[in-house]
Amino acid sequence: MSPGPAAPTPRAPAHAPSRTHPEKATDTMAKRIDVSGLTAFYGGHRAIDDISMSVEPRSVTAFIGPSGCGKSTLLRTLNRMHEVTPGGRVEGKVMLDHEDLYGTSVDPVAVRRTIGMVFQRPNPFPTMSIYDNVAAGLRLNGDFRKKELDGIVEKSLKGANLWNEVKDRLGKPGSGLSGGQQQRLCIARAIAVQPQVLLMDEPCSALDPISTLAIEDLIGELKSRFTIVIVTHNMQQAARVSDRTAFFNLSAVGRPGKLIEIDDTERIFSNPSVQATEDYISGRFG
Amino acid sequence: MSDNALTDRPQVTGPPSAGPSLARRRLPRWTPALVVLVSVGLGVGGGSLAGWESRVQQGLIAALLSVIVTYALTSLVEDSRQARDKVATSVVWVCFAAAVVPLVSLAWTTVSRGAELLDGYFLSHSMGGMTNIEEGGGVYHAFLGTVEQVGLATLMAAPVGLLTAVYLVEYGRGRLAQAVTFFVDVMTGIPSIVAGLFVLAFWNLGLGFGPSGFAGSMALAILMMPVVVRSTEEMLKLVPNELREASLALGVPKWRTVLKVVLPTSMGGIATGVMLAVARIAGETAPVMLLVFGNPLINPNPFSGAQESLPLYVWNQYKLGNAASIDRAWAGALTLIAFVMLLNLLARGIARWKAPKGAGR
C-alpha cells in the first residue's frame, strides 16, 4: 500500500449537516464529555470504580494503563456499548455537553449515532462491498437520499485517507483490503454517519508500523472536526497523537480499575504528579 | 555428541566417523498396496477353499490379515515404533473401507436396478388404471405428492425454525431460552411415527379431517423444525460478535443489525441447513403412511384427499411383490435419491454463491 500523501483536507465542517434528523444544526460538531462517578459492572464484577474526568472537544484524549485496568470498558460506556455485553451495567453519569447519556429517556441507538466507535480489529462487513461498507451506517438507519450517498461515501473515504487507494474498486468486497486499509475503511464507515465524538479502541494494535503511521496521521487530521478518545497500549503513540492523557491502574488483580490521573500529554510524559504514572511510563512498573 | 546410546541401532549407511546416522531401513513405498493385494487374494482364495462362501467373511479375513501382515513386516524390517504407526494407519484404512463399502454398494444397487425403468414415461405417468402385476406405470403422482408435501412442510417449518434460532442466539437469555433449547433437543429425538400419530390424533381424529397431503406435511414440519433450529443456531453463532458490535456502534438498531448484517453473513450456511432438513424429511415414510394414505391416481391438491409420496410408493410397490412392481419400487427409490441429491447440490450451490466474498481473515 502507498503510504498515502498526507494531503491534509481539513476543511472545517463548512458543509451543512445533510442528515435528515439532526437534533440541532450545530456548526461545531464536536462535543465535550464529562464523566462523573462512573462505575461499570460485568454481572457482579466491578470493572471500573468511581471515575470522574472530562474529555475536551476537538482534541485527542488517550487512555493508557496496564491490561485489565478498564480502559476499554470506560471507552465502551461512553457510547453505551458496554451494556451490549451480557451482564454489563453502569452507575454514574456521562454528560455529552449538557445531556446525560444514561438519562431515563435516552435512546442508546441515538447515542451511538452521535458517538462513533472504531474497534481493535478491523471489522468490515464481509457481505458488503467497500462502497456499501461506508454507506452501511446511513443505509441501515434508512437515513439517506440516494443522490447524496455517493458524495458522502467519497467524502468519508477521503476523510479516512483511503479514497485514492480504493476509488477504482468501490464495488469490490471490503474484506479484500489489507489490514491497515480495512481499519481506515472502518474509520470511514464510522465518520460517514457524522458523529460528534469518535472512540477508538486500540485502533492500531493489529497493524504494521506503516499502516499505524497512516492512522496516526489521520487522527491528527480528524481532531479538527471530532472529539477523539483513543485507547492505546503504545506509549509513544499516546505521546505522538494525543493532547491529553489519562492513566488508569488497578490496585490488584480482580480489583476494579481506577483513574490515577489525567493531564496534558506533555506533563504526563515529562513530570507526572503521581509516582505510579512515572513508574508505568518509564517501564519501572510493579 | 553422545553416540553410545544409539550404537545398538541398525545402521545401513552413513559416514563412519560422523556419529549415528539418521537413516533407517525402510520398507519400499509400494508395500501397503502389495500387502492389501496379498491379503485380499488370501482372504478370497483361502476362504473359498475352506468353504466360506460369504463375501463378508472373506472381507473380514482379508482385513485382519492385512493388519497382521503389516505389523509383522514392519517390525521385522523397521522398528517397533514404525510398526505401531503402520498398524494404526492400516486400522484406520480398514474402518474407512468398512464405512464406504456399504454406501457404494447401496448406491450401485439402486442405480443398476432402478435405471432400467427410470425414463421420461416413468416420470410423467401415474399408476391410474393399472392392475398391480402389469408392467409400465409411473411415479409422477408420487413425485408431485412429495414435492408438495415437502414444500408445504418447509413453508411451515423454515420460518418458525429460523426465527426460533434468531431468538435463541440474539435475544434469548435466562429461563425461557433454556426451556426453548431443551424442547428443541427433545423434539430432535421424536420418532417420526410419533409425530404422525400426534397429527392423526389432533387433525384427523380430533378435528375430523380426512387424509391429505397437508396433514402429512404438518407431521413433516414437526420433524423438520428442530433440525432447522439447530443448524441455523450453529450458523448464527459463527457470525463474529465484532460484526454485531460494529453495526450497533454505527447506531443501527438491534433488529436491523440482525436483519441486515447477521443474517446475510450466515445466509449460505442457513440455506444449506434448511436444504439438508428438507432432504431428511423427503424420505420420511411413517407419518406419510398414516396421514397421506397413498393414492394411485394423480391428486394435485394437497389440501383434500389422499395423495402419494415417493417413499410410500416405494413401500407399496415392493409390498406387491411381483417382478413389475419390484422394478417400479427400485426406480422410485432411485428417483427419491436423485431428488435428495439434487437438493443437496442446490444447497451447496447456494452456500458457495452466498458465502462472504474476498480474502478471509
Side-chain angles (χ1 to χ4, degrees):
Chain A
M1 50 163 290
S2 70
T9 48
R11 254 184 306 129
H15 53 79
S18 55
R19 306 179 57 182
T20 46
H21 66 86
E23 292 75 20
K24 267 192 300 179
T26 45
D27 47 337
T28 55
M29 297 221 305
K31 291 194 174 182
R32 86 181 254 124
I33 302 175
D34 288 293
V35 179
S36 55
L38 191 80
T39 304
F41 300 87
Y42 289 104
H45 174 66
R46 193 178 280 248
I48 50 176
D49 194 22
D50 193 21
I51 292 195
S52 300
M53 61 182 288
S54 54
V55 173
E56 302 295 332
R58 289 165 186 254
S59 70
V60 179
T61 305
F63 289 179
I64 61 171
S67 294
C69 70
K71 313 178 290 290
S72 293
T73 305
L74 176 61
L75 195 75
R76 290 166 63 93
T77 60
L78 297 185
N79 69 342
R80 297 195 62 167
M81 283 297 287
H82 176 65
E83 65 208 48
V84 170
T85 322
R89 193 159 56 81
V90 169
E91 286 168 10
K93 269 188 177 175
V94 179
M95 304 292 289
L96 184 70
D97 278 3
H98 301 294
E99 228 178 339
D100 185 2
L101 296 186
Y102 287 91
T104 42
S105 56
V106 169
D107 180 8
V109 170
V111 170
R112 292 175 203 139
R113 287 183 198 179
T114 313
I115 306 182
M117 190 160 195
V118 176
F119 294 85
Q120 184 169 4
R121 271 171 35 135
N123 51 4
F125 299 125
T127 50
M128 298 184 192
S129 66
I130 293 172
Y131 183 98
D132 292 342
N133 258 291
V134 180
L138 298 172
R139 270 201 186 138
L140 295 182
N141 289 331
D143 173 24
F144 68 97
R145 296 194 204 101
K146 263 213 155 74
K147 279 185 186 167
E148 292 175 351
L149 206 55
D150 284 347
I152 293 175
V153 168
E154 182 176 341
K155 200 169 67 188
S156 308
L157 281 170
K158 278 180 175 160
N161 277 341
L162 192 60
W163 176 251
N164 286 329
E165 289 157 69
V166 301
K167 65 182 173 200
D168 302 322
R169 45 172 175 157
L170 291 173
K172 295 274 166 59
S175 44
L177 298 173
S178 77
Q181 288 171 327
Q182 282 187 21
Q183 191 63 298
R184 277 180 284 153
L185 180 62
C186 292
I187 294 176
R189 183 175 68 184
I191 62 181
V193 295
Q194 306 194 357
Q196 290 155 356
V197 179
L198 203 54
L199 308 177
M200 298 179 152
D201 190 356
E202 298 184 45
C204 302
S205 66
L207 305 182
D208 68 282
I210 296 174
S211 308
T212 302
L213 186 69
I215 304 266
E216 285 181 5
D217 286 348
L218 179 57
I219 292 172
E221 289 169 27
L222 291 176
K223 77 172 179 184
S224 62
R225 291 195 281 149
F226 302 99
T227 304
I228 295 178
V229 182
I230 176 172
V231 167
T232 178
H233 272 296
N234 184 329
M235 235 82 72
Q236 289 85 350
Q237 182 171 62
R240 281 194 299 264
V241 301
S242 72
D243 304 305
R244 285 168 67 77
T245 298
F247 173 63
F248 296 85
N249 204 348
L250 66 176
S251 46
V253 177
R255 306 284 306 153
K258 288 200 162 165
L259 174 68
I260 303 300
E261 64 173 317
I262 176 166
D263 211 331
D264 289 341
T265 299
E266 256 173 59
R267 263 187 68 91
I268 290 273
F269 282 92
S270 54
N271 62 350
S273 44
V274 182
Q275 183 62 35
T277 313
E278 192 175 345
D279 287 351
Y280 183 76
I281 285 166
S282 56
R284 270 185 281 118
F285 188 74
Chain B
M1 294 289 286
S2 66
D3 55 356
N4 50 351
L6 295 169
T7 42
D8 53 347
R9 295 289 176 88
Q11 286 184 26
V12 183
T13 54
S17 62
S21 163
L22 296 174
R24 299 277 183 277
R25 275 202 298 173
R26 308 300 298 266
L27 285 165
R29 291 190 57 186
W30 40 260
T31 320
L34 187 71
V35 168
V36 167
L37 220 62
V38 168
S39 357
V40 168
L42 280 175
V44 174
S48 316
L49 280 182
W52 297 331
E53 290 298 333
S54 162
R55 289 271 179 227
V56 178
Q57 273 176 330
Q58 294 173 357
L60 281 177
I61 294 170
L64 205 62
L65 264 179
S66 65
V67 174
I68 294 171
V69 169
T70 306
Y71 181 76
L73 211 60
T74 323
S75 56
L76 269 180
V77 179
E78 300 181 7
D79 56 25
S80 68
R81 182 177 63 80
Q82 290 289 351
R84 273 174 276 147
D85 177 41
K86 290 279 161 63
V87 163
T89 312
S90 53
V91 165
V92 168
W93 276 102
V94 164
C95 292
F96 170 69
V100 161
V101 165
L103 191 68
V104 171
S105 148
L106 175 90
W108 173 249
T109 317
T110 314
V111 170
S112 62
R113 299 203 55 173
E116 41 191 281
L117 207 62
L118 188 63
D119 53 18
Y121 182 87
F122 184 74
L123 287 177
S124 59
H125 286 73
S126 74
M127 296 299 291
M130 304 251 319
T131 59
N132 289 331
I133 52 166
E134 241 179 317
E135 289 195 7
V139 79
Y140 176 71
H141 59 307
F143 187 72
L144 186 72
T146 287
V147 169
E148 284 180 355
Q149 288 149 28
V150 167
L152 279 174
T154 310
L155 277 183
M156 287 186 275
V160 176
L162 192 84
L163 291 175
T164 308
V166 166
Y167 167 75
L168 286 178
V169 176
E170 305 292 337
Y171 295 93
R173 302 269 176 271
R175 285 282 168 77
L176 182 58
Q178 275 174 7
V180 172
T181 309
F182 175 74
F183 283 115
V184 167
D185 281 346
V186 171
M187 272 178 83
T188 315
I190 290 183
S192 57
I193 188 73
V194 174
L197 285 171
F198 167 70
V199 174
L200 186 77
F202 162 73
W203 183 253
N204 297 39
L205 305 180
L207 297 177
F209 290 96
S212 69
F214 180 65
S217 63
M218 278 193 287
L220 294 181
I222 293 175
L223 294 171
M224 186 178 174
M225 220 171 325
V227 183
V228 174
V229 173
R230 263 294 125 90
S231 60
T232 307
E233 216 185 331
E234 293 310 312
M235 286 304 138
L236 292 179
K237 279 182 189 163
L238 284 182
V239 175
N241 222 5
E242 298 153 18
L243 292 183
R244 294 187 182 90
E245 294 202 332
S247 176
L248 290 176
L250 287 173
V252 179
K254 183 154 183 175
W255 66 273
R256 274 194 104 98
T257 300
V258 172
L259 200 65
K260 300 281 186 171
V261 175
V262 178
L263 283 178
T265 307
S266 55
M267 197 36 87
I270 293 173
T272 312
V274 171
M275 282 299 187
L276 289 177
V278 167
R280 222 210 105 206
I281 60 162
E284 263 328 321
T285 320
V288 174
M289 220 178 236
L290 280 176
L291 300 165
V292 184
F293 206 69
N295 184 351
L297 305 174
I298 298 171
N299 173 11
N301 183 359
F303 295 102
S304 128
Q307 272 193 318
E308 189 76 320
S309 91
L310 280 170
L312 197 54
Y313 176 85
V314 174
W315 158 254
N316 281 330
Q317 293 298 324
Y318 200 81
K319 208 172 52 174
L320 291 174
N322 60 68
S325 72
I326 287 182
D327 278 351
R328 280 195 292 267
W330 280 110
L334 182 57
T335 313
L336 180 59
I337 291 181
F339 175 60
V340 167
M341 190 155 152
L342 224 66
L343 285 180
N344 265 320
L345 288 179
L346 197 68
R348 274 161 199 272
I350 291 173
R352 186 167 297 184
W353 171 52
K354 278 287 185 183
K357 292 159 190 76
R361 283 185 278 163

